[in-house]
Tab-separated table of all heavy atoms in Angstrom:
chain	number	residue	atom	x	y	z
A	99	GLY	N	38.685	73.047	149.364
A	99	GLY	CA	38.626	72.553	147.995
A	99	GLY	C	39.365	73.313	146.914
A	99	GLY	O	39.143	73.060	145.731
A	100	ALA	N	40.246	74.225	147.274
A	100	ALA	CA	41.017	74.928	146.240
A	100	ALA	C	42.248	75.591	146.843
A	100	ALA	O	42.451	75.555	148.060
A	100	ALA	CB	40.149	75.957	145.530
A	101	HIS	N	43.044	76.197	145.951
A	101	HIS	CA	44.279	76.855	146.389
A	101	HIS	C	44.028	78.151	147.141
A	101	HIS	O	44.906	78.649	147.827
A	101	HIS	CB	45.152	77.149	145.168
A	101	HIS	CG	44.580	78.240	144.303
A	101	HIS	ND1	43.439	78.066	143.548
A	101	HIS	CD2	44.948	79.532	144.125
A	101	HIS	CE1	43.146	79.197	142.930
A	101	HIS	NE2	44.049	80.102	143.262
A	102	LYS	N	42.829	78.743	147.006
A	102	LYS	CA	42.586	80.073	147.575
A	102	LYS	C	42.806	80.140	149.080
A	102	LYS	O	43.178	81.183	149.604
A	102	LYS	CB	41.174	80.547	147.236
A	102	LYS	CG	41.011	80.986	145.800
A	102	LYS	CD	39.676	81.697	145.587
A	102	LYS	CE	39.554	82.251	144.189
A	102	LYS	NZ	39.238	81.205	143.193
A	105	HIS	N	46.313	81.718	150.336
A	105	HIS	CA	46.550	83.158	150.528
A	105	HIS	C	45.543	83.796	151.473
A	105	HIS	O	45.862	84.769	152.132
A	105	HIS	CB	46.681	83.921	149.200
A	105	HIS	CG	45.479	83.928	148.314
A	105	HIS	ND1	45.458	83.314	147.086
A	105	HIS	CD2	44.273	84.509	148.458
A	105	HIS	CE1	44.284	83.508	146.508
A	105	HIS	NE2	43.550	84.220	147.331
A	129	GLN	N	33.718	81.857	145.691
A	129	GLN	CA	34.859	81.009	146.095
A	129	GLN	C	35.823	81.780	147.002
A	129	GLN	O	36.256	81.265	148.023
A	129	GLN	CB	35.604	80.491	144.864
A	129	GLN	CG	34.776	79.560	144.001
A	129	GLN	CD	34.170	78.424	144.781
A	129	GLN	OE1	32.960	78.360	144.969
A	129	GLN	NE2	35.004	77.545	145.283
A	130	HIS	N	36.150	83.017	146.606
A	130	HIS	CA	37.022	83.837	147.451
A	130	HIS	C	36.326	84.119	148.784
A	130	HIS	O	36.951	84.050	149.838
A	130	HIS	CB	37.374	85.141	146.727
A	130	HIS	CG	38.195	86.087	147.555
A	130	HIS	ND1	39.345	85.700	148.217
A	130	HIS	CD2	38.029	87.411	147.838
A	130	HIS	CE1	39.844	86.751	148.864
A	130	HIS	NE2	39.073	87.783	148.661
A	204	GLY	N	41.716	88.814	146.341
A	204	GLY	CA	41.575	87.386	146.112
A	204	GLY	C	42.490	86.757	145.080
A	204	GLY	O	42.362	85.581	144.754
A	205	SER	N	43.450	87.543	144.526
A	205	SER	CA	44.385	86.957	143.570
A	205	SER	C	45.636	87.840	143.539
A	205	SER	O	45.776	88.755	144.344
A	205	SER	CB	43.740	86.849	142.186
A	205	SER	OG	44.606	86.134	141.309
A	206	VAL	N	46.540	87.562	142.586
A	206	VAL	CA	47.780	88.345	142.503
A	206	VAL	C	47.550	89.630	141.699
A	206	VAL	O	48.242	89.905	140.721
A	206	VAL	CB	48.942	87.528	141.899
A	206	VAL	CG1	49.500	86.571	142.913
A	206	VAL	CG2	48.494	86.764	140.642
A	245	CYS	N	45.936	77.163	135.047
A	245	CYS	CA	44.968	78.115	134.514
A	245	CYS	C	45.245	79.501	135.100
A	245	CYS	O	45.798	79.619	136.195
A	245	CYS	CB	43.538	77.663	134.815
A	245	CYS	SG	43.115	77.603	136.571
A	246	VAL	N	44.844	80.523	134.352
A	246	VAL	CA	45.092	81.900	134.781
A	246	VAL	C	43.795	82.714	134.748
A	246	VAL	O	43.216	82.934	133.689
A	246	VAL	CB	46.129	82.589	133.869
A	246	VAL	CG1	46.313	84.057	134.281
A	246	VAL	CG2	47.460	81.852	133.915
A	247	GLY	N	43.344	83.104	135.951
A	247	GLY	CA	42.268	84.095	136.061
A	247	GLY	C	42.974	85.407	136.394
A	247	GLY	O	43.402	86.154	135.519
A	248	GLY	N	43.151	85.658	137.696
A	248	GLY	CA	44.052	86.737	138.115
A	248	GLY	C	45.490	86.247	138.073
A	248	GLY	O	46.421	87.010	137.863
A	249	GLY	N	45.650	84.929	138.322
A	249	GLY	CA	46.964	84.316	138.175
A	249	GLY	C	47.613	83.781	139.438
A	249	GLY	O	48.802	83.459	139.424
A	250	SER	N	46.841	83.637	140.536
A	250	SER	CA	47.498	83.245	141.796
A	250	SER	C	47.934	81.776	141.830
A	250	SER	O	49.044	81.470	142.277
A	250	SER	CB	46.611	83.562	143.002
A	250	SER	OG	45.442	82.786	143.020
A	251	ASN	N	47.088	80.855	141.343
A	251	ASN	CA	47.520	79.453	141.414
A	251	ASN	C	48.675	79.213	140.447
A	251	ASN	O	49.611	78.471	140.736
A	251	ASN	CB	46.336	78.476	141.224
A	251	ASN	CG	46.031	78.147	139.779
A	251	ASN	OD1	46.633	77.220	139.215
A	251	ASN	ND2	45.144	78.891	139.145
A	252	ALA	N	48.639	79.889	139.298
A	252	ALA	CA	49.705	79.714	138.308
A	252	ALA	C	51.039	80.233	138.841
A	252	ALA	O	52.055	79.529	138.798
A	252	ALA	CB	49.326	80.422	137.001
A	318	GLY	N	35.607	81.656	138.014
A	318	GLY	CA	36.842	82.095	138.662
A	318	GLY	C	37.873	82.628	137.686
A	318	GLY	O	38.904	83.146	138.085
A	319	LEU	N	37.621	82.509	136.381
A	319	LEU	CA	38.592	82.955	135.385
A	319	LEU	C	38.168	84.223	134.653
A	319	LEU	O	38.912	84.740	133.827
A	319	LEU	CB	38.844	81.843	134.350
A	319	LEU	CG	39.393	80.513	134.870
A	319	LEU	CD1	39.614	79.544	133.706
A	319	LEU	CD2	40.697	80.693	135.650
A	363	ALA	N	37.602	71.367	139.236
A	363	ALA	CA	36.892	72.641	139.063
A	363	ALA	C	36.947	73.001	137.581
A	363	ALA	O	37.915	72.656	136.890
A	363	ALA	CB	37.547	73.735	139.889
A	364	LEU	N	35.927	73.711	137.092
A	364	LEU	CA	35.934	74.105	135.675
A	364	LEU	C	37.132	74.996	135.355
A	364	LEU	O	37.650	74.974	134.233
A	364	LEU	CB	34.626	74.823	135.308
A	364	LEU	CG	33.423	73.900	135.132
A	364	LEU	CD1	32.138	74.714	134.980
A	364	LEU	CD2	33.613	72.969	133.925
A	365	GLU	N	37.598	75.756	136.356
A	365	GLU	CA	38.808	76.573	136.159
A	365	GLU	C	39.989	75.639	135.872
A	365	GLU	O	40.681	75.761	134.854
A	365	GLU	CB	39.104	77.398	137.425
A	365	GLU	CG	38.130	78.540	137.699
A	365	GLU	CD	36.855	78.069	138.400
A	365	GLU	OE1	36.746	76.866	138.723
A	365	GLU	OE2	35.955	78.910	138.616
A	366	SER	N	40.197	74.687	136.772
A	366	SER	CA	41.316	73.753	136.640
A	366	SER	C	41.208	72.914	135.373
A	366	SER	O	42.230	72.503	134.799
A	366	SER	CB	41.364	72.816	137.854
A	366	SER	OG	41.006	73.485	139.035
A	390	LEU	N	46.266	71.371	139.653
A	390	LEU	CA	44.831	71.129	139.749
A	390	LEU	C	44.304	72.032	140.869
A	390	LEU	O	44.210	71.632	142.015
A	390	LEU	CB	44.557	69.649	140.044
A	390	LEU	CG	43.168	69.207	139.634
A	390	LEU	CD1	43.049	69.158	138.115
A	390	LEU	CD2	42.809	67.860	140.225
A	391	SER	N	43.962	73.272	140.477
A	391	SER	CA	43.736	74.331	141.472
A	391	SER	C	42.546	74.088	142.396
A	391	SER	O	42.531	74.581	143.516
A	391	SER	CB	43.579	75.674	140.766
A	391	SER	OG	42.575	75.611	139.769
A	392	GLY	N	41.541	73.327	141.929
A	392	GLY	CA	40.383	73.128	142.806
A	392	GLY	C	39.532	71.955	142.373
A	392	GLY	O	39.669	71.441	141.264
A	393	ARG	N	38.612	71.560	143.256
A	393	ARG	CA	37.730	70.432	142.943
A	393	ARG	C	36.415	70.943	142.344
A	393	ARG	O	36.025	72.090	142.540
A	393	ARG	CB	37.486	69.587	144.182
A	393	ARG	CG	36.718	70.283	145.257
A	393	ARG	CD	36.464	69.345	146.457
A	393	ARG	NE	35.764	70.065	147.495
A	393	ARG	CZ	36.146	70.112	148.763
A	393	ARG	NH1	37.233	69.476	149.168
A	393	ARG	NH2	35.433	70.780	149.656
A	396	LYS	N	31.569	72.240	143.286
A	396	LYS	CA	30.822	73.485	143.136
A	396	LYS	C	30.183	73.610	141.748
A	396	LYS	O	29.274	74.402	141.556
A	396	LYS	CB	31.750	74.674	143.400
A	396	LYS	CG	32.824	74.836	142.331
A	396	LYS	CD	33.784	75.979	142.627
A	396	LYS	CE	34.870	76.112	141.577
A	396	LYS	NZ	34.415	76.376	140.214
B	26	LIG	C1	39.562	81.355	141.797
B	26	LIG	C2	40.018	80.153	141.154
B	26	LIG	C3	40.947	80.184	140.077
B	26	LIG	C4	41.434	81.452	139.440
B	26	LIG	O1	42.195	82.286	140.251
B	26	LIG	P1	43.767	82.463	140.047
B	26	LIG	O2	44.078	83.629	140.917
B	26	LIG	O3	44.014	82.732	138.608
B	26	LIG	O4	44.414	81.212	140.494
B	26	LIG	C5	41.406	78.979	139.558
B	26	LIG	N1	40.984	77.794	140.044
B	26	LIG	C6	40.090	77.719	141.055
B	26	LIG	C7	39.661	76.372	141.528
B	26	LIG	C8	39.577	78.891	141.645
B	26	LIG	O5	38.687	78.798	142.636
Side-chain angles (χ1 to χ4, degrees):
H101 71 290
K102 285 191 175 77
H105 63 246
Q129 295 307 111
H130 176 50
S205 187
V206 283
C245 64
V246 177
S250 66
N251 87 87
L319 300 181
L364 284 171
E365 289 82 3
S366 323
L390 203 71
S391 54
R393 66 178 178 231
K396 68 183 179 60

